[in-house]
Amino acid sequence: MVSADAVHAGQAAYKGWILKWVYDALVLGFSNHALWKCPTSGLLDLYNANVTSNHLDVGVGTGYYLDRCRFPDPEPRLALMDLNENSLSFAAKRAARYRPETIRCNALEPIPFDGPGFDSIGVMYLLHCLPGSMAEKAVLFDHLRPLMNSGAVLFGATIVQGSAPRGAAAQRLMDLYNGKGIFSNRQDTVEALDHELGKRFPRRDIALVGCVAVFRAFAD
Ligand SMILES: C[S@@+](CC[C@H](N)C(=O)[O-])C[C@H]1O[C@@H](n2cnc3c(N)ncnc32)[C@H](O)[C@@H]1O
């Protein structure tokens, strides 16, 4: 059973000053490359290869990828979803040229959205922030599936443990983040994520890059 406190902890770190001064430099500039061994440039490539002109992003953080990626159309429909108001407003400002709509909600609960569906959904670095086992986190996919148009792609990445290779510094930082509730990935494995995606999507691919599981799943 996932507690409300644990859900709160998974998004509480994203304060305005962290988003403005720390996140891009520390996570995207340093940790991805030096600790998780999954360079940000590769994750941006994932966006460029999969983002469509009708895109929903869930767990938006600073909106870095939305700002930097190449949408196939200069005027995409863009929706941003996050539990944290700071992340939503920071990312919305950064992507203001696309006039995004914003939806504030907890992705672990049914999503109050009845607008038109999307052709792509990004869930970058969201799952390792969500509390619970991989089976409990995967309800996120059940909530997002009805928002996907036929043939739509859901893509993202998440930091995992299990057999994923990670150095001592990476493990120490993961332990620290898990202790504070910023991460909840002690039991997350690439195999468990693959299993949950396979239960819900007819076609998916998943690969480990460093200790990051990078994945895509396609709606029928
Ligand atoms: C690690 S950041 C990822 C930011 C961005 N996608 C990236 O890769 O740089 C995680 C984001 O997920 C949001 N988040 C955490 N728990 C959430 C939840 N239960 N529902 C919706 N969003 C959540 C946080 O507020 C934060 O914006």
Side-chain angles (χ1 to χ4, degrees):
M1 178 70 187
V2 169
S3 78
D5 284 353
V7 172
H8 177 81
Q11 56 79 60
Y14 304 95
K15 303 186 189 330
W17 66 272
I18 298 266
L19 295 167
K20 187 167 182 191
W21 302 111
V22 180
Y23 186 87
D24 282 9
L26 184 67
V27 178
L28 305 180
F30 175 74
S31 302
N32 276 354
H33 172 74
L35 298 179
W36 317 138
K37 308 288 185 195
C38 180
T40 299
S41 57
L43 298 176
L44 183 57
D45 289 345
L46 184 75
Y47 265 83
N48 285 332
N50 292 287
V51 78
T52 69
S53 299
N54 181 20
H55 180 78
L56 167 67
D57 217 69
V58 188
V60 293
T62 62
Y64 172 91
Y65 296 104
L66 302 169
D67 185 31
R68 300 284 180 102
C69 75
R70 284 187 306 271
F71 287 94
D73 188 292
E75 291 187 16
R77 171 186 177 218
L78 176 62
L80 312 178
M81 185 180 285
D82 205 291
L83 181 55
N84 183 310
E85 188 57 53
N86 302 320
S87 298
L88 267 186
S89 60
F90 194 94
K93 249 185 236 149
R94 196 163 181 186
R97 62 190 182 281
Y98 302 127
R99 285 176 283 131
E101 63 184 295
T102 57
I103 306 150
R104 187 173 183 204
C105 70
N106 174 6
L108 291 175
E109 289 177 0
I111 294 170
F113 182 81
D114 59 5
F118 297 93
D119 297 321
S120 56
I121 298 184
V123 288
M124 183 64 78
Y125 277 21
L126 172 62
L127 285 163
H128 60 242
C129 300
L130 301 178
S133 64
M134 191 55 83
E136 287 170 312
K137 296 171 188 226
V139 298
L140 160 81
F141 302 134
D142 298 326
H143 299 153
L144 292 177
R145 178 66 191 82
L147 278 57
M148 295 170 77
N149 288 335
S150 175
V153 59
L154 179 145
F155 65 92
T158 187
I159 299 166
V160 294
Q161 300 211 29
S163 59
R166 52 206 189 274
Q171 187 63 57
R172 270 201 301 277
L173 191 63
M174 266 195 233
D175 290 345
L176 178 77
Y177 286 165
N178 274 280
K180 292 180 182 299
I182 297 170
F183 278 20
S184 295
N185 76 339
R186 282 198 178 103
Q187 288 149 45
D188 291 3
T189 64
V190 66
E191 294 84 6
L193 175 56
D194 187 40
H195 178 71
E196 296 302 331
L197 289 171
K199 286 202 307 209
R200 293 164 173 89
F201 296 96
R203 195 157 64 86
R204 85 268 185 200
D205 48 60
I206 185 164
L208 257 187
V209 181
C211 59
V212 177
V214 181
F215 58 92
R216 299 187 303 170
F218 299 87
D220 300 322

